[in-house]
Every structure is written in C-alpha cells, then in structure tokens.
Amino acid sequence: MKERVIVIGNGMVGYKFCERLAEKDSENKFQIVTFCEEPRPAYDRVHLSEYFSGKSADDLSMAKFDWYEENGVELHVGEKVTQIDKVAKHVITSSGKVVKYDKLVMATGSAPFVPPVPGIDNKGVFVYRTIEDLDAIKEYSKGARTCAVIGGGLLGLEAAKAAQDLGLTTHVVEFAPRLMPRQLDNAAGTLLKDVIEDRGIKVHLSKSTSNIAGDGEVKAMEFADGSELKVDMIIVSAGIKPRDELARDTGLEVGPRGGIQVDSYLLTSDPNIFAIGECALYEGMIYGLVAPGYQMADAVSELLMGNEATFTGADMSTKLKLIGTDVASFGAIEIPADSNAREIVINDTHNNLFKKLIISEDGTKLLGGILVGDASAYGTLHQMYLNEMTIKCDPIQLIMPASDGEPAGVGVGDLPDSAQICSCEAVTKGDLCSAIEKGCSSVAELKSCTKAGTGCGGCVPMITDLFKQKMRESGAEVSDRLCEHFDLSRKQMYQVVRATGIKSFDELLEKHGTGLGCEICKPAAANILASTWNLPILEHSSLQDSNDAFLANIQQDGTYSVIPRIPGGEITPDKLIVIGEVAKKYNLYMKLTGGQRIDLLGARAADLPPIWKELIDAGFESGHAYGKALRTVKSCVGSTWCRFGVQDSTTLAIDIEKRYRGIRSPHKLKGGVSGCTRECAEARSKDFGIIATEKGWNLFVCGNGGITPRHGDLFATDLDRETLIKYIDRFLMYYIKTADRLERTSTWMTKLEGGLAHLQDVVINDSLGICEELESQMAHLIGSYECEWKNAIEDPEKLKRFSHFQNTEEVDETVEFVDIRGQICPARLNEANEEESDELAKA
Amino acid sequence: MITESTWTNIGPVSNYPLNLGSCVKVGGKQIAIFNLPTEQKWYAVQNFNPQNQRMVLSRGLTGDADGVPIVICPLHKYRYSLETGECFTESTYSLETFPIKVDGDSLVIEA
C-alpha cells in the first residue's frame, strides 16, 4: 500500500517538492496528490515580468501537464483545499472532495500585502503576483496613462519596469528613505534611484500613502506629507504575507505576525504536516526567495525518503537585473554592530557603479557586499562569502576591474567541491564536476542533467567557466592543435615556419602533418607563410579561402566585392570619379563602409581583373578587405581643419595605413587616429588606436567593436611619432607571432597571461629580449610589400583562375540581379523566373 | 530506357591545376572538377551548392576528412565528400557526382 502525500499549493516550491520526491522515489513508495487553486500548474514567478515581454504562460510553466502524468503525480488545478482534519488525516477541497493523507505538505505560498489605505478598493488598484494579475494590469493599462507602484523593493521595481513597458508614465512610491531597503545601503540606493530615474521612472522616497482618491476609479494618491500624485492606476508591491489562513483554521501554530511555524525538519506543530516556502516561518523569518524554498522542498523530500535532512536557514543573497541595471547583494550589507569589520566602497556616480565589500578586520574574509551597475563579480564574491574562503589579494582588487577586463580574485577553479554553484537547485561544484566526468559534453547537457542554471540562471556564467576549465584539464576536447592534419597550434606552426624556412604548404604538410589538409589548416598555413615571407598571396592560391584566392570577398550569391584602399579615408575628387565610373561600367552596387572607404559589390569573378586594371591605372591599390590583414586606419580631419584638433591625425593615419598595408595577421586588423580627445575616429574600438594629446600621442591597444565590444587599453601616453610607430611595430609583430588563428587582438589580450602589463613589458621594456627581432621582421614585411592585385593582373597564369568556366567563354547565367533603390541587388533564387511566369500568367 | 554513355572532352589536363577546383559546362550543367594528389586524382561533382543554391563549389577549398577527399563550400564551410557527394556537415544535403577520366592529353567527363 502506497503512502499518500498531499501537497497543498502548486507554486514553484510546491512543484519543486513534487519533482524532488518523484525523482527520489524510485520504488514508488508514495502516491503524490497536489491541489492548486490557480487555473494552471506551477509557473516561474521569478521571471513573471517576461510575460509582458513576449513569453507565454506556457513558456513560463515549470512543467507541462504531461510531466505530472508521466511521473504519477495527481494534479488538481483550480481546486483549493478548504479544510484540513488533522485527526482524521484528510483534507476537504473546494469541490467537496475528501481525500485522506499520510503526510501533508503545505506549500501555500504568500499573497501580496495590501496596506489598508482608504480608497485602496477603487478600481485600478492591482497586485503583481499571478498571470491573471498581469492580464488584468495589461487590460486596464489600455485606458491609463500614469501608473504608480507602491513599494520600491525588488518586486516593486520589476512591476515598475513592466508598467513602463506597457507605455505608462511610471512612478515608484517607497515608504523607506531608499530603494530596496533590505538589500541596499543608502549610497547604493541613491545610485540605483539615479539610474532608474535616468530611465524615465520617477522615484518618490519616504512617502507614506494616506489616501487613494477616486470616484470608484483611481484618480490620485495622497501622502502623509500633504503632497499628491495624480495616477490612473496603482500596482501594490509592498511586501508579502504568508498564506497561513488554512493553517490557522486547522489549529497549527502560526507566528505572531503570520507564517506557519516550522522546526528545522520543516514540521509544523502537527507531526504529519510540513510547511515549505513562503508560508513557512523558521526562527522568526519568512524566506521570500525561491532558492530557500527549493532547499526546504528538497529537505522534506529527503525526510520522507527516510534520509536525514534539516533546514537551518538560508542564504538570502540575490542578484537581479532591475530596469536594465545589475543589482546584487550578499551577506552583511553594513558593518555589523559591535564588530571590527571594515568596508571598502567604490561609489562611482560617474559611471553609475557602486560596489561595496564588508571584510573581516584582518582583511582575509568576505562578510558581505553590494553591487549595483555591474554585478559580474557576484558569482565569485558570493562563493567566497559562502565558503568563507581566504582573500589572497588586496581586497579592493576583488571589485576593481582589472586591465584585461577579468575581475581579479578567485575563479571557479579555486572553489572547493562543496561550493554551491546553483543555489536555486542546490547543485555544488562537485556535482557539476562529476556530471562532466560522467560524460556531459556541453553546457546545455550539463544544465539538463544537473538542473544547475535552470532556475534564475544567474550561475550560468560560472557553470560555463567550470565546464571549459574541466574540458581544458581533460586535454583532448579543447586541445589547441589546429585540426586533424597537424599536431601543432598556430603559434607552434608559426615557429616551425620561421625556424625551418619552409615556404610552401606541401613541404609543411610533408614534414609536420598528414593527409591533404582542410579548410582550417590550409588558410592558417597560408596566412603564416604570408606573415613570414610575404610572397604574393596568389602563390598560395590553393590554400586560400575563396576570398584570398580571388582577392575579393565572396558574397551570398557567389559574386564578389571590390574595395580599393583609400588610406585614412582621404580621397581626391578625380579618384572618386574613377570609382564611380568603374562601378557604372561594370554595373556594381556601391556602398560606403564603416572604415571610410567604398565597397563595390556584385562583380563576377571574371570581371575582377578588368575592374582592378582600371582602378590600378588610376592609382588605386588593393584594400585587402578580403584578407586577414590591415583593413583601414580610420581618421578625423585633425588639426588641419578641425578647430579642436591638436595634432595632424589624417597624415598620421595615412602613413600608418600605408606602413602596414598587405601584412597578413591571425585575423583582420583595424586602426584609428583621432586628432583630439573627442575621439571622432573611434580609435579605442580598434586593434590599435591613437589619440592626439597636446604633447604627442596616446596609444591604445586591443580594442574591438563587433560582437563583443571592448575599449582598447591605454598602452602608453604622450609618445612622439617615432616611438609610437616603434611600439606599434613591435605590438603587431608580437600579436602575429603568438595569437591563435582567427583571434582578434581583443580576445588575444583577454587570454594573454599577464595581460596589459605583460604586453607593455615585452614591447616597452623588451622583457623577452625580442624587440630587435620583432622590428626586423616587421621591417621585412613593410619592405617587401607589393600590391597583390597589380601583381595578379600582370600575370596571365594567375588570371586564368578568374573565368567562370574552364571549357567555354560563356558567363554564368545563373547570376541575376534585380533593382533596388536604383542599384543592382542579388535576385532571390528564381526571382527573375518568377517575375517572368507572373507575366505569363497575367497574359 | 537505355542511353548510350557519352563522354565529353573538357580540354587539356594541363588546364586543371593540382589542388584547385575548376568549373566546366557540359550539356547545360555546371560541374566542378578537382585535381587532388590522391590515387584517384580526378573528381567531378555538381557546382551547385545545395545549401544556399548558388554555383560556387568549384571555388571551395579541398582537403580530406579522415582520409576522405572533400571540398569545402566557400560560403559557409560545409564539407562534402568528393567520392560520394555526401555532406558531412548536414546530412540532408548531397552532391551529384560524375565519372571523369584522362583520355590521352585530355580530361573527359560523363554527364
């Protein structure tokens, strides 16, 4: 005979309990029955606001109906337990069912606390708890313009964001003198207020609502200080009150201010009734977060299985994104009274960042902290706090952004196996490691097999780090060998080429590789051969991606683009006219690029040589837009024209672009030169960026735009031109020598051991004793430059490759264009034919 | 229906350099020819890239995957066996292959 467990309430915690017990109960000892007063099974209330940003109720659900069926959990939705008879051990439901239990678990949760303010019963006052609440808010907002949220805690701010997303002018009204009074101190609260107000939400602090004016519908809020706020609707988010009414009726012990009293076994005053989640009161505390609720659920499931488990309080740390801003706090947020603890505070109102740490008197232990604006360090700091790890550095370094963008301090690797990485699902580092050892081969797999990261998701970055690290340790998976044909990394291949004088891929493959090569090792080798010996790139044409093989970028329709070099973006009218004429003659689409030059698209391979012949005759050169090479050095007009410019940035940009043109590097290179600190050339987003000062030039390195933008690091200041160029020579050559294939300088820098300081040491102080060699290698590359298009059009052998067919002079008739805004664009497949058949159909 | 096999001469072998792809037109079809340093040496597959439906495969890099000679599409790097036409990157795609051989100084293809 199975024991019957009835679970009252199917919220997140009630569901989690069912899940845990079903999972552990492999012998089917228990029959689980759960009642849910809401019309749908448990859904994710933590991410409730996402219902407004497009998620459906279904997306938010914790488990589909099928899950309950498959796991033998009897689910009754829309059916509330109205009575418990603890003597007869049965419950009575709203539909009149009488169901006996052996064990009862109360997971009744909480209800929003609605302060008893006169007028609160006007139409237009809402709470923010269920999907039905959100539906009602959405509906009412259609006729409203202004909304006030009562409560500036985390849920209140969530609600404010939702109201703003609905297009309402939004106010937050908080009784306390600061926002999020439980999680933040005054300074952090002030900063958060500024950030939120910047985003258009008005914050009113120290406001006690004395009356809600209205004539059946909300019109205004009146405050104790006599002020007033006109609003069309109100969302109340002033805290929660535990749903303990059923427990009271049953005669279970409840706290003086509500909550079902439980002991460390989560047992109520009745030995067969447990309470978990927000309805439970443990040592005078209601745990209004999901993670402690899950811990309680887990503990009760263990106890039912006959195992030892207790709940002795939980960590109330939180990390959230509120109105686009990271907010996190853990442990103590103020120096505890009667302690000699110290605090470290960075209150950067300029960048809207607040970071505070509470540390032990001797600076070795982290007792708590607050992060606003940037909570990227939270994962690490929280773990250090939970595991009472020793701080091994100057504690301020834990919250100072290091030069390479990585926070200092400990990584996930330093944590003990017992460290809880996912607090929602109570998954430790040890659990994750053993799952990886048992064969989880991706972060997604790791998440689905351990459930880590599936709750609030805040720990996913740490899980990813841990996964990568374990993979690295195990060797095989993230080996840096290029591909199956070479047992060398790019760096090693570069060293081999340079040391042995190998000048062809065949020789390299014969001596150091196997097989025929592939699309990974061939272009990498061609790139290294070019970076080392600088022979015209078409000498390696069988190794190159289509781009380098045709000296042009292949487009989605198989045609190519043509980009002549326009150094520094400076061009004469005559040259501009030539570009226009060429585009016209060959019917090319024209567009300006982000690098201050002109892209001509839609060229057939066979037209590339005549197009380039005309461009070269007019004085143009290859722009290497197709190569892993220097693209452009963007510039402003500098002191020559600009009334703010302090140096001649254009001339410098042109000189530098010409200096490094054609040099092959692990990935493309971009530069920028700005004539003053206003930075109009966006130099800090470039691989090397130069910004003029009164005294010379500041050099920034390893910036990037693109998918992971990164501002370049300030490398050296007030340089004269000669030193500046010397440093760039060395920097670029060191990058070419050591980076991985297709690794931009920004990624290279983040992986570079020692980061910026190391790079400065190598380039400025010659710490490795290689500067002379770097300079001479760079001098060789600069000295052997030759425009590869000029070289190609003078060599009939090389030009043979450009005709579409080898056995006929015909052109490829599958390439077709249509007109868009007066220029060509690639026809969609069969678009031309479709038009034709449309015409036929009409006729 | 039985059709007589028809071999088409596509020109001198020397027109087709080692390790490179070339495109030829045979009976209205575009065919990509590859010359690799393998025992078989010559390979012919459709030039039409099934993944984005453009005539580009002859411009792809060549190589091998576990010893099987391959062409890699120049657009999105899908790998295709030159022996069977099978796509190793996405199994729903495949290429038509054509018999090709040397006849005297010329290459001939049956398509």
Side-chain angles (χ1 to χ4, degrees):
Chain A
M1 183 70 186
K2 284 188 189 179
E3 275 193 69
R4 184 182 290 149
V5 179
I6 292 183
V7 187
I8 306 179
N10 190 244
M12 293 177 81
V13 172
Y15 162 76
K16 188 55 64 178
F17 169 77
C18 297
E19 182 194 283
R20 288 286 155 83
L21 185 60
E23 202 175 81
K24 287 171 187 157
D25 182 24
S26 52
E27 290 166 15
N28 274 319
K29 273 164 52 188
F30 295 102
Q31 183 201 9
I32 308 171
V33 180
T34 180
F35 292 95
C36 174
E37 68 174 23
E38 286 188 60
R40 66 187 94 242
Y43 51 90
D44 182 354
R45 271 191 246 275
V46 174
H47 295 103
L48 191 60
S49 298
E50 291 174 19
Y51 185 64
F52 282 147
S53 49
K55 283 216 174 163
S56 66
D58 222 32
D59 294 335
L60 290 174
S61 75
M62 305 286 294
K64 309 278 177 256
F65 280 103
D66 299 358
W67 179 89
Y68 294 89
E69 211 161 289
E70 280 160 19
N71 288 277
V73 176
E74 198 179 309
L75 167 72
H76 301 270
V77 294
E79 186 162 5
K80 185 176 168 177
V81 172
T82 51
Q83 223 178 304
I84 301 169
D85 185 331
K86 58 186 183 185
V87 180
K89 286 173 73 178
H90 68 228
V91 302
I92 302 177
T93 74
S94 50
S95 69
K97 278 197 198 98
V98 178
V99 190
K100 288 191 77 68
Y101 65 79
D102 295 295
K103 297 287 176 197
L104 184 65
V105 177
M106 300 192 69
T108 48
S110 67
F113 167 68
V114 180
V117 178
I120 197 100
D121 51 355
N122 271 302
K123 246 179 90 185
V125 180
F126 299 90
V127 295
Y128 195 84
R129 170 96 187 159
T130 64
I131 286 181
E132 285 66 33
D133 294 335
L134 267 61
D135 280 333
I137 290 169
K138 199 170 178 177
E139 189 54 37
Y140 198 83
S141 73
K142 289 176 188 161
R145 277 183 310 187
T146 309
C147 175
V149 175
I150 300 181
L154 47 98
L155 200 59
L157 295 179
E158 283 260 338
K161 166 78 165 55
Q164 194 185 34
D165 287 349
L166 288 171
L168 301 166
T169 302
T170 305
H171 300 262
V172 170
V173 176
E174 168 60 45
F175 178 75
R178 63 168 183 259
L179 291 173
M180 298 183 67
R182 281 161 186 255
Q183 289 87 6
L184 302 183
D185 67 2
N186 271 326
T190 305
L191 185 99
L192 181 62
K193 172 176 184 276
D194 290 346
V195 172
I196 288 172
E197 294 203 320
D198 275 352
R199 290 174 196 254
I201 294 174
K202 185 85 186 93
V203 179
H204 309 265
L205 300 174
S206 306
K207 289 279 182 193
S208 156
T209 311
S210 55
N211 184 41
I212 292 171
D215 50 7
E217 285 181 9
V218 171
K219 296 286 180 223
M221 295 172 72
E222 291 164 12
F223 303 113
D225 61 8
S227 58
E228 192 192 76
L229 180 67
K230 292 218 180 313
V231 292
D232 303 322
M233 63 187 288
I234 293 172
I235 300 173
V236 180
S237 182
I240 55 169
K241 56 168 201 253
R243 293 280 301 272
D244 56 10
E245 63 276 10
L246 185 60
R248 280 176 202 273
D249 295 347
T250 310
L252 298 176
E253 197 179 316
V254 294
R257 284 184 294 149
I260 309 169
Q261 193 73 55
V262 294
D263 61 13
S264 58
Y265 294 107
L266 286 319
L267 272 178
T268 63
S269 52
D270 182 291
N272 293 310
I273 305 179
F274 297 90
I276 57 176
E278 289 178 333
C279 63
L281 180 72
Y282 174 75
E283 293 195 341
M285 176 105 176
I286 296 284
Y287 289 88
L289 292 176
V290 69
Y294 283 6
Q295 287 171 31
M296 296 180 198
D298 194 52
V300 175
S301 65
E302 285 291 340
L303 289 167
L304 290 182
M305 291 307 297
N307 301 325
E308 180 59 26
T310 54
F311 177 83
T312 51
D315 175 42
M316 291 296 278
S317 305
T318 40
K319 178 190 165 201
L320 305 151
K321 206 166 197 79
L322 285 172
I323 318 188
T325 308
D326 278 346
V327 179
S329 75
F330 56 96
I333 59 169
E334 308 268 11
I335 295 177
D338 305 327
S339 88
N340 293 320
R342 300 166 188 275
E343 63 176 18
I344 298 173
V345 180
I346 297 177
N347 189 5
D348 177 359
T349 55
H350 176 64
N351 289 308
N352 284 336
L353 290 175
F354 179 90
K355 298 180 180 184
K356 172 172 173 175
L357 296 181
I358 307 288
I359 52 169
S360 59
E361 185 180 8
D362 62 0
T364 61
K365 291 280 187 286
L366 195 54
L367 308 178
I370 301 174
L371 304 167
V372 179
D374 169 20
S376 53
Y378 173 78
T380 304
L381 295 176
H382 185 214
Q383 289 300 331
M384 290 185 75
Y385 157 71
L386 286 179
N387 295 288
E388 296 179 15
M389 292 169 69
T390 303
I391 304 173
K392 290 182 189 149
C393 56
D394 182 350
I396 196 168
Q397 281 179 355
L398 298 172
I399 47 175
M400 293 270 281
S403 64
D404 58 1
E406 294 291 317
V410 293
V412 67
D414 300 321
L415 296 171
D417 272 358
S418 60
Q420 198 174 72
I421 304 286
C422 172
S423 48
C424 294
E425 293 287 340
V427 183
T428 64
K429 179 181 165 188
D431 298 337
L432 289 166
C433 290
S434 78
I436 295 168
E437 278 151 23
K438 281 182 195 140
C440 281
S441 61
S442 69
V443 174
E445 244 177 76
L446 192 56
K447 281 168 68 180
S448 82
C449 107
T450 61
K451 292 214 163 61
T454 57
C456 73
C459 60
V460 174
M462 290 192 92
I463 297 173
T464 309
D465 280 353
L466 180 64
F467 177 76
K468 282 196 191 147
Q469 190 195 326
K470 292 296 283 183
M471 283 295 151
R472 266 199 301 278
E473 280 168 15
S474 71
E477 301 300 323
V478 281
S479 139
D480 58 358
R481 71 182 284 195
L482 268 180
C483 65
E484 64 174 276
H485 304 103
F486 285 94
D487 213 352
L488 300 170
S489 67
R490 182 199 174 268
K491 189 173 164 182
Q492 289 165 332
M493 188 184 273
Y494 180 91
Q495 284 160 352
V496 164
V497 167
R498 193 165 276 289
T500 58
I502 288 176
K503 288 197 172 61
S504 78
F505 179 74
D506 288 346
E507 195 184 345
L508 188 63
L509 190 66
E510 192 192 329
K511 293 192 176 145
H512 300 278
T514 58
L516 302 176
C518 67
E519 79 281 16
I520 296 164
C521 59
K522 280 180 160 184
N527 179 276
I528 287 169
L529 293 169
S531 292
T532 314
W533 314 121
N534 215 17
L535 298 172
I537 206 80
L538 285 191
E539 321 260 300
H540 314 295
S541 68
S542 69
L543 307 177
Q544 304 282 5
D545 272 338
S546 182
N547 287 349
D548 260 330
F550 289 86
L551 304 178
N553 295 53
I554 194 166
Q555 305 297 319
Q556 57 99 345
D557 66 340
T559 65
Y560 290 86
S561 73
V562 170
I563 304 187
R565 185 167 298 289
I566 302 178
E570 182 186 84
I571 188 163
T572 62
D574 282 340
K575 284 181 115 176
L576 190 58
I577 289 168
V578 170
I579 292 182
E581 280 171 347
V582 167
K584 213 166 175 176
K585 178 166 170 187
Y586 293 92
N587 191 25
L588 305 174
Y589 169 87
M590 273 178 77
K591 193 174 187 308
L592 300 179
T593 73
Q596 300 186 333
R597 44 195 197 169
I598 298 169
D599 201 352
L600 307 172
L601 291 116
R604 291 163 186 271
D607 284 341
L608 290 171
I611 289 171
W612 273 104
K613 173 93 178 45
E614 294 196 24
L615 290 171
I616 285 166
D617 287 347
F620 285 105
E621 293 182 321
S622 167
H624 300 97
Y626 46 83
K628 304 301 175 208
L630 178 76
R631 298 291 170 82
T632 71
V633 179
K634 189 173 178 174
S635 73
C636 64
V637 293
S639 57
T640 320
W641 290 93
C642 176
R643 65 189 193 282
F644 299 115
V646 294
Q647 304 279 354
D648 179 1
S649 51
T650 314
T651 302
L652 183 66
I654 293 170
D655 291 350
I656 289 184
E657 184 164 339
K658 286 187 171 164
R659 184 174 180 83
Y660 302 121
R661 69 193 157 176
I663 292 174
R664 289 313 202 266
S665 47
H667 209 315
K668 62 186 172 188
L669 285 170
K670 297 178 178 183
V673 184
S674 280
C676 79
T677 182
R678 285 172 183 75
E679 241 287 69
C680 297
E682 296 162 339
R684 287 193 68 195
S685 65
K686 307 299 183 195
D687 296 280
F688 56 93
I690 301 154
I691 301 176
T693 68
E694 298 280 351
K695 295 182 210 147
W697 305 95
N698 283 352
L699 174 60
F700 294 83
V701 296
C702 304
N704 201 350
I707 186 165
T708 322
R710 180 180 195 276
H711 266 154
D713 297 308
L714 180 58
F715 184 82
T717 55
D718 294 327
L719 300 172
D720 59 52
R721 189 184 160 108
E722 195 190 334
T723 313
L724 171 75
I725 287 174
K726 188 167 74 182
Y727 286 174
I728 304 175
D729 278 1
R730 292 172 179 179
F731 159 67
L732 290 178
M733 212 58 225
Y734 188 54
Y735 161 66
I736 290 170
K737 226 179 153 70
T738 59
D740 200 357
R741 63 181 276 276
L742 303 183
E743 185 172 68
R744 289 292 294 269
T745 57
S746 58
T747 342
W748 173 67
M749 169 62 98
T750 54
K751 290 193 206 155
L752 193 63
E753 225 166 284
L756 178 66
H758 166 77
L759 187 62
Q760 286 167 325
D761 229 22
V762 172
V763 169
I764 300 173
N765 307 326
D766 197 11
S767 61
L768 299 180
I770 56 170
C771 284
E772 201 177 317
E773 179 192 330
L774 295 176
E775 278 176 45
S776 82
Q777 287 163 0
M778 181 55 90
H780 166 71
L781 294 180
I782 295 166
S784 55
Y785 167 77
E786 171 180 19
C787 170
E788 51 211 28
W789 260 114
K790 188 160 187 296
N791 174 286
I793 59 175
E794 286 165 358
D795 185 344
E797 269 308 302
K798 286 176 182 160
L799 293 185
K800 274 190 184 169
R801 306 297 319 150
F802 287 86
S803 54
H804 188 79
F805 296 114
Q806 284 300 307
N807 66 337
T808 154
E809 299 292 312
E810 287 173 49
V811 298
D812 177 9
E813 79 286 358
T814 65
V815 172
E816 286 182 281
F817 300 106
V818 295
D819 177 274
I820 178 165
R821 293 179 294 275
Q823 298 204 73
I824 59 157
C825 89
R828 283 197 321 274
L829 281 172
N830 301 323
E831 188 171 11
N833 294 342
E834 275 164 26
E835 275 173 20
E836 231 163 75
S837 49
D838 281 353
E839 291 301 313
L840 287 174
K842 279 178 211 155
Chain B
M1 193 177 78
I2 299 164
T3 40
E4 232 173 84
S5 73
T6 44
W7 289 91
T8 306
N9 186 325
I10 54 168
V13 170
S14 58
N15 274 2
Y16 300 89
L18 188 63
N19 282 319
L20 282 169
S22 311
C23 177
V24 295
K25 196 170 189 180
V26 177
K29 273 187 202 161
Q30 292 199 17
I31 296 169
I33 310 292
F34 297 93
N35 174 2
L36 297 186
T38 58
E39 206 171 309
Q40 187 179 328
K41 195 165 167 61
W42 297 99
Y43 302 87
V45 298
Q46 68 188 52
N47 191 35
F48 184 75
N49 168 24
Q51 181 250 329
N52 87 325
Q53 320 232 318
R54 301 290 182 176
M55 295 290 185
V56 294
L57 291 178
S58 66
R59 292 177 251 164
L61 279 174
T62 57
D64 79 275
D66 286 330
V68 179
I70 54 171
V71 58
I72 300 106
C73 167
L75 291 169
H76 299 106
K77 309 271 189 308
Y78 283 32
R79 292 172 159 212
Y80 296 91
S81 160
L82 287 173
E83 286 171 351
T84 64
E86 182 191 350
C87 179
F88 294 138
T89 315
E90 165 60 63
S91 58
T92 55
Y93 298 129
S94 67
L95 305 180
E96 191 180 355
T97 59
F98 302 92
I100 181 169
K101 64 183 181 187
V102 177
D103 184 7
D105 294 335
S106 297
L107 266 186
V108 294
I109 182 167
E110 192 180 28

